[in-house]
């Protein structure tokens, strides 16, 4: 996120995207109840206020983002396993083998934990794993930075045109990493009062959580400069046990994290194809459940294995679909619901809509350009 922007614009962009993401999420959380009606799905909220077209636009946008995000997680898990294998001096297996193992692990977890509401203790485990990863990674990255004897290059590389397009791709990546597009779906799992509890969670996310999250990105850029890998654990100098532990945590955490993002897709498929009058693990439903999960993860794993630059597509969907879900729609809802609000509030939200509409167009063009360049650079099933 920092490499295409450099220190000054990188830090400014990180802060600006985080601030707007926090504000828009806080705003959206307040519309859990509208005119006494509770909304537990984003698409239902948009459909109720703006009609069936917006219902389907919101739902399709969410589905595409969640599927692409899941593929990105599969690629991440595969890279973590490949790094572990390399540390033990194992045979140089292709990345695709590790991607298949990751997809199988995700499939098994989706059977054992079929819904987002059943994650419970897994969220506690996820928190422990996250901070374990962050603390160890920060310690090793800072150690490498302090011990580095070379001159670290922080320059932004490329022609003026490529710098501009890459900068907007970095902003798109920031949006993707700061937003999920499923705030109402997550909020529906919280105990009452849901609005107050969701905003407490958002406050923690955009203060304590973001400090650690951004800390890793900033420390990585400081230690390795413009040559830093997109997958930071690849840069670590050791010790071996720490690198193995970090990649093991990445793999395990990716299993839990991806489930939170793909759960709405599971829920939609289960609602459509399972017998809702019987238990989810009943004999009739379990066969259908396994078939649905197997088909989904087979397709996602195949695409992730075929396209090793899947992150570019995640950024594309982040710019084209996630920016509207995160920034545009909450302001549209505010204008629709708060019709009696002051004129200055109306102007403020129209300004947000205008600004992020332009950003959607620009970042989408930049993301498409990056994909075209990488299509020419990579081949299907490349071992990156």
């Amino acid at each position: 996120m920092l490499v295409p922007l450099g220190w000054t614009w990188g830090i400014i962009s990180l802060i600006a995207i985080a601030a707007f993401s926090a504000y828009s999420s806080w705003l959206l959380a307040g519309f859990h109840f509208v005119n006494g009606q509770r909304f537990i799905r984003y698409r239902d909220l948009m459909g109720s206020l703006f009609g069936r077209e917006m219902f389907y636009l919101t739902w399709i946008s969410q589905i595409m983002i969640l599927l692409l995000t899941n593929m990105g997680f599969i690629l991440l898990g595969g890279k973590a396993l490949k790094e572990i294998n390399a540390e033990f001096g194992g045979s140089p297996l292709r990345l695709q083998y590790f991607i298949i193992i990751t997809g199988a692990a995700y499939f098994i977890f989706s059977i054992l934990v079929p819904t987002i509401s059943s994650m419970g203790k897994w969220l506690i485990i996820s928190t422990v794993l996250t901070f374990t990863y962050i603390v160890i990674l920060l310690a090793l990255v800072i150690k490498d930075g302090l011990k580095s004897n070379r001159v670290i290059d922080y320059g932004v590389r490329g022609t003026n045109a490529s710098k501009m397009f890459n900068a907007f791709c970095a902003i798109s990546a920031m949006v993707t990493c700061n937003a999920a597009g499923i705030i109402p779906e997550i909020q529906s799992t919280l105990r009452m009062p849901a609005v107050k509890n969701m905003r407490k969670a958002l406050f923690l996310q955009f203060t304590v959580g973001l400090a650690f999250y951004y800390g890793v990105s900033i420390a990585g850029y400081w230690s390795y400069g413009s040559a830093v890998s997109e997958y930071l654990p690849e840069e670590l100098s050791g010790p071996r046990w720490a690198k193995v532990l970090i990649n093991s945590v990445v793999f395990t955490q990716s299993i839990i994290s991806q489930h939170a993002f793909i759960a709405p897709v599971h829920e939609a498929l289960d609602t459509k194809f399972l017998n809702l009058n019987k238990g989810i693990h009943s004999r009739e439903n379990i066969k259908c459940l396994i078939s649905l999960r197997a088909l989904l993860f087979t397709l996602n794993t195949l695409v992730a294995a075929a396209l090793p630059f899947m992150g570019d597509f995640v950024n594309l969907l982040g710019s084209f679909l996630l920016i509207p879900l995160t920034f545009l729609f909450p302001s549209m809802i505010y204008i629709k619901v708060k019709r009696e609000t002051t004129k200055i509030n109306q102007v403020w939200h129209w300004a947000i809509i205008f600004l992020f509409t332009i950003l959607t167009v620009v970042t989408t063009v930049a993301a498409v350009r990056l994909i075209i360049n990488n299509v020419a650079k990579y081949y299907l099933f490349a071992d990156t």
Side-chain angles (χ1 to χ4, degrees):
M1 294 187 290
L2 288 169
V3 170
L5 292 163
W7 277 118
T8 302
W9 284 110
I11 297 299
I12 290 174
S13 298
L14 286 174
I15 294 172
I17 293 298
F20 274 105
S21 296
Y23 173 73
S24 297
S25 298
W26 179 89
L27 195 69
L28 184 58
F31 296 116
H32 191 59
F33 292 93
V34 176
N35 298 325
Q37 182 179 355
R38 185 188 183 204
F39 291 96
I40 63 173
R41 297 182 181 90
Y42 205 161
R43 62 185 183 273
D44 293 334
L45 175 60
M46 292 300 292
S48 174
L49 295 175
F50 300 102
R52 298 299 293 176
E53 291 80 6
M54 288 302 296
F55 172 91
Y56 287 114
L57 177 61
T58 303
W59 180 222
I60 292 171
S61 297
Q62 286 183 305
I63 287 292
M64 294 181 70
I65 289 170
L66 296 175
L67 289 175
L68 265 294
T69 300
N70 184 256
M71 295 173 194
F73 270 116
I74 292 175
L75 182 59
L76 173 67
K79 286 189 173 183
L81 290 179
K82 187 176 182 180
E83 286 296 308
I84 294 172
N85 181 69
E87 287 301 317
F88 285 105
S91 58
L93 295 176
R94 295 177 59 83
L95 174 63
Q96 282 68 28
Y97 289 103
F98 300 108
I99 287 176
I100 292 171
I101 294 172
T102 303
Y106 289 7
F107 164 70
I108 294 171
F109 189 82
S110 71
I111 301 298
L112 299 176
V113 187
T115 66
I116 194 171
S117 299
S118 59
M119 291 188 72
K121 61 182 179 181
W122 292 103
L123 296 177
I124 299 175
I125 296 173
S126 174
T127 302
V128 173
L129 289 173
T130 297
F131 281 97
T132 300
Y133 165 81
I134 289 172
V135 170
I136 298 176
L137 184 62
L138 274 176
L140 294 179
V141 167
I142 293 172
K143 176 183 71 75
D144 285 352
L146 292 174
K147 289 186 176 181
S148 178
N149 295 320
R150 61 188 176 85
V151 177
I152 300 175
D153 178 20
Y154 297 110
V156 180
R157 302 167 183 173
T159 63
N160 289 334
S162 65
K163 287 180 181 179
M164 180 184 69
F165 283 112
N166 291 339
F168 283 113
C169 284
I171 291 173
S172 178
M174 291 176 193
V175 173
T176 303
C177 293
N178 274 285
I182 52 172
I183 289 291
E185 286 80 0
I186 295 173
Q187 191 171 4
S188 68
T189 67
L190 301 181
R191 64 170 60 95
M192 294 297 178
V195 173
K196 182 178 180 180
N197 288 330
M198 188 67 197
R199 285 177 170 172
K200 283 182 180 178
L202 289 169
F203 177 78
L204 285 175
Q205 175 190 342
F206 286 101
T207 52
V208 178
L210 206 62
F212 282 100
Y213 178 73
Y214 275 2
V216 170
S217 297
I218 292 170
Y221 185 55
W222 168 74
S223 294
Y224 308 110
S226 300
V228 65
S229 169
E230 291 182 358
Y231 183 57
L232 191 56
E234 287 180 343
E235 300 286 353
L236 303 179
S237 61
R240 186 170 75 172
W241 69 264
K243 296 181 70 173
V244 171
L245 178 59
I246 284 176
N247 283 289
S248 299
V249 170
V250 169
F251 175 73
T252 308
Q253 169 66 347
S254 75
I255 297 175
I256 304 172
S257 296
Q258 63 83 30
H259 190 69
F261 286 95
I262 202 66
V265 179
H266 292 325
E267 181 255 350
L269 292 173
D270 294 344
T271 302
K272 178 70 175 178
F273 295 103
L274 267 58
N275 186 341
L276 302 181
N277 296 319
K278 296 185 177 181
I280 195 167
H281 285 135
S282 65
R283 179 176 297 183
E284 179 183 342
N285 281 337
I286 195 65
K287 294 179 181 178
C288 186
L289 185 82
I290 292 174
S291 299
L292 291 172
R293 303 291 197 269
L295 178 61
L296 175 64
F297 284 110
T298 298
L299 292 175
N300 284 3
T301 301
L302 177 62
V303 175
L307 302 173
F309 50 98
M310 177 54 60
D312 297 348
F313 290 91
V314 175
N315 285 346
L316 173 62
L317 270 295
S319 57
F320 185 62
L321 300 174
L322 196 53
I323 291 178
L325 285 172
T326 305
F327 302 110
L328 300 185
F329 290 0
S331 286
M332 290 169 56
I333 294 170
Y334 182 91
I335 293 171
K336 182 77 171 181
V337 174
K338 307 287 187 179
R339 294 180 179 178
E340 305 301 323
T341 189
T342 61
K343 188 172 182 179
I344 191 170
N345 282 336
Q346 294 276 348
V347 172
W348 165 249
H349 286 285
W350 277 115
I352 290 176
I353 292 171
F354 176 75
L355 171 65
F356 284 98
T357 297
I358 294 176
L359 187 63
T360 299
V361 174
V362 176
T363 54
T364 299
V365 172
V368 170
R369 178 181 179 274
L370 182 62
I371 289 174
I372 292 174
N373 289 341
N374 279 336
V375 165
K377 179 180 177 181
Y378 293 107
Y379 55 89
L380 291 178
F381 299 99
D383 183 23
T384 60

